[in-house]
Amino acid sequence: MDEILEVILVEGRYDKHTLANVVRATILETRGYGIFSDREKMQLIRRLAQTRGIIILTDSDQAGFLIRNRIKGSVPAGRVLHAYIPDRPGKERRKTKPGKEGKLGVEGMDRETLLQALRQAGATFCHAPAAPDREGAPKLTKAHLFEAGLTGKPDSRARRQALCKALDLPENLTTNGLLDLLNVLYAYDEAMGVLGLGDGSI
């Protein structure tokens, strides 16, 4: 079983149980919205971000993004990575009906999907080969997203959602989140190709 250095934050105990069967790591629960009023746990998360680094792995529904963004905004310093699971319709086995948005959460994801989400986030896998070093290489900017019609146009939101669907990413990804993820997942030329911008530069 792979071991991960960073502390992984998930929403609930079923998510924790699922992930504990995939990787060896310190896994903390936010207890859903409970993290909003838990000052002690938020203080611990800030400390862990500075010492070990944290990975936020929430569901891809609106609630999951709200929790993710609250944590991100409350941890001003340290290493904060974002792992995203794809939008997949369905319900978890223990539930009698799907959630409000009809999407599978972290607990409903298979092993490979969770490992891929963690790798894409930049998780530090102990004893694993190092990820390619892209420091100093050119990166996509918001200007590239604008040129590709993903921002600033009447249909930009629909275009972003279509791109996320094509790349098997959550549709609720923010513009900043999409930009960060494209820069993590792809080298510059590859990312330009994904956006249909060829090898030009802005």
Side-chain angles (χ1 to χ4, degrees):
M1 188 181 290
D2 292 297
E3 185 174 352
I4 290 179
L5 174 65
E6 292 85 6
V7 175
I8 306 174
L9 304 182
V10 296
E11 293 181 51
R13 61 191 176 104
Y14 293 104
D15 300 331
K16 181 176 181 179
H17 176 74
T18 297
L19 199 57
N21 288 313
V22 175
V23 294
R24 284 197 303 271
T26 302
I27 305 170
L28 295 181
E29 303 168 38
T30 68
R31 294 183 301 108
Y33 292 141
I35 191 66
F36 295 175
S37 58
D38 193 335
R39 293 183 180 179
E40 289 184 0
K41 181 167 283 188
M42 191 61 80
Q43 187 174 9
L44 171 64
I45 290 170
R46 291 189 192 102
R47 183 175 178 183
L48 289 170
Q50 293 175 332
T51 56
R52 294 259 306 270
I54 61 172
I55 301 173
I56 305 175
L57 177 60
T58 57
D59 294 348
S60 289
D61 56 12
Q62 290 184 357
F65 273 85
L66 184 61
I67 293 166
R68 178 187 297 276
N69 291 331
R70 177 66 69 92
I71 295 171
K72 179 182 176 182
S74 300
V75 182
R79 179 172 164 81
V80 181
L81 303 174
H82 293 272
Y84 298 96
I85 58 171
D87 285 325
R88 298 265 169 85
K91 72 172 185 66
E92 286 76 16
R93 291 179 183 175
R94 68 181 176 86
K95 296 180 178 177
T96 57
K97 59 181 181 179
K100 185 176 179 182
E101 296 178 34
K103 299 176 183 178
L104 285 173
V106 169
E107 71 168 286
M109 294 290 134
D110 60 76
R111 174 186 175 82
E112 264 318 303
T113 299
L114 290 171
L115 283 173
Q116 182 179 3
L118 292 167
R119 289 190 195 103
Q120 290 176 342
T124 306
F125 284 81
C126 301
H127 311 298
D133 183 9
R134 293 179 181 153
E135 190 169 346
K139 293 182 178 295
L140 292 183
T141 67
K142 286 187 176 179
H144 291 109
L145 298 186
F146 178 80
E147 185 183 357
L150 298 173
T151 61
K153 309 283 171 58
D155 63 343
S156 290
R157 178 177 172 80
R159 284 172 175 261
R160 287 196 306 273
Q161 289 179 335
L163 178 63
C164 287
K165 184 174 183 179
L167 299 178
D168 206 14
L169 299 173
E171 66 179 347
N172 289 325
L173 209 53
T174 64
T175 303
N176 287 335
L178 176 60
L179 184 63
D180 290 343
L181 208 49
L182 288 173
N183 280 319
V184 168
L185 293 177
Y186 303 101
Y188 178 74
D189 289 343
E190 295 172 329
M192 291 290 283
V194 166
L195 297 184
L197 298 179
D199 57 0
S201 180
I202 292 181

